[in-house]
Amino acid sequence: MSRPVPSSDAQAPSTIARAWPGALDGEAFETLFRECGADVHGYAISLLGDRSAAEDVTALAFERLYRSRARLDRRRGTPRAWLFAIARNAALDELRRQRREPRYEREDQLVAGRDCAEALEDVERRATVRDALAELPPREREIVLLKFHGQLSNSELARALGISESNAGTRLHRALTRLREGCLRSERREEIA
């Protein structure tokens, strides 16, 4: 049995990717939870802006994956990609339910042992990115969050979004360009003020 050749943007296979020959058994599911739980939760927080709703979406995504584990097909993507596609759908359902734009929680965490100026710069940089991300249209924000929180390859992004791989790459490139422009605008405004 030959293994598929990973694409150039794929990362080294995780423990779950190596151990998962077909249906997701209990042990493989636990491994997937340990490897991806924080990433799914981070993605949901970034999209929803509400920790409580993000916890609900994360739990729902894992529950839905567990229920459909026998139907998972390796040819259609990794368990991680399936999980993020499910999390995406659950988060979008939550946004529709709330009928509002996502809001972002203020993150004023200073890490002990770091220089105060460095910590402040880190908080400012995160706020700049968060603000620029909030300015993106929802579709662009979603693809950026899936790419970086989900650590999905472009082919996995395409499957999660139901679009072609080239379209996923193009949309990601455009979204990142707009995100960079938003960050630069924000930095210029801060310099003027």
Side-chain angles (χ1 to χ4, degrees), residues 42-192:
Y43 165 72
I45 288 173
S46 296
L47 191 61
L48 300 170
D50 178 346
R51 287 190 186 278
S52 176
E55 289 171 5
D56 293 343
V57 163
T58 301
L60 185 60
F62 277 99
E63 179 185 339
R64 286 180 181 170
L65 180 69
Y66 188 77
R67 286 184 184 174
S68 64
R69 69 190 181 281
R71 295 189 310 256
L72 295 178
D73 182 358
R74 169 139 329 257
R75 294 171 297 198
R76 293 183 58 205
T78 64
R80 183 181 182 91
W82 277 73
L83 177 62
F84 274 91
I86 293 169
R88 171 187 178 257
N89 290 334
L92 293 176
D93 288 345
E94 177 64 18
L95 284 174
R96 278 190 288 272
R97 188 187 71 74
Q98 295 174 354
R99 287 193 171 105
R100 63 177 172 80
E101 283 292 309
R103 72 180 202 296
Y104 294 90
E105 294 179 0
R106 182 174 164 90
E107 186 179 322
D108 291 326
Q109 300 174 346
L110 300 178
V111 178
R114 288 187 2 187
D115 179 57
C116 218
E118 181 185 327
L120 182 58
E121 187 176 305
D122 187 45
V123 168
E124 289 173 353
R125 189 177 21 240
R126 287 174 185 256
T128 298
V129 172
R130 189 173 40 249
D131 293 345
L133 194 58
E135 291 176 6
L136 290 177
R139 283 176 37 149
E140 291 181 352
R141 184 179 326 122
E142 174 183 50
I143 199 164
V144 169
L145 293 174
L146 280 171
K147 180 68 175 182
F148 294 101
H149 278 293
Q151 300 173 4
L152 302 181
S153 68
N154 284 2
S155 61
E156 292 171 329
L157 273 175
R159 281 191 292 277
L161 297 171
I163 58 178
S164 71
E165 188 172 345
S166 63
N167 191 354
T170 300
R171 283 177 55 187
L172 179 63
H173 175 74
R174 286 181 183 155
L176 290 175
T177 299
R178 286 192 179 138
L179 182 64
R180 256 184 242 109
E181 291 168 355
C183 288
L184 290 173
R185 276 192 308 274
S186 179
E187 288 175 0
R188 285 187 204 120
R189 282 188 297 245
E190 289 175 11
E191 288 174 3
I192 292 172

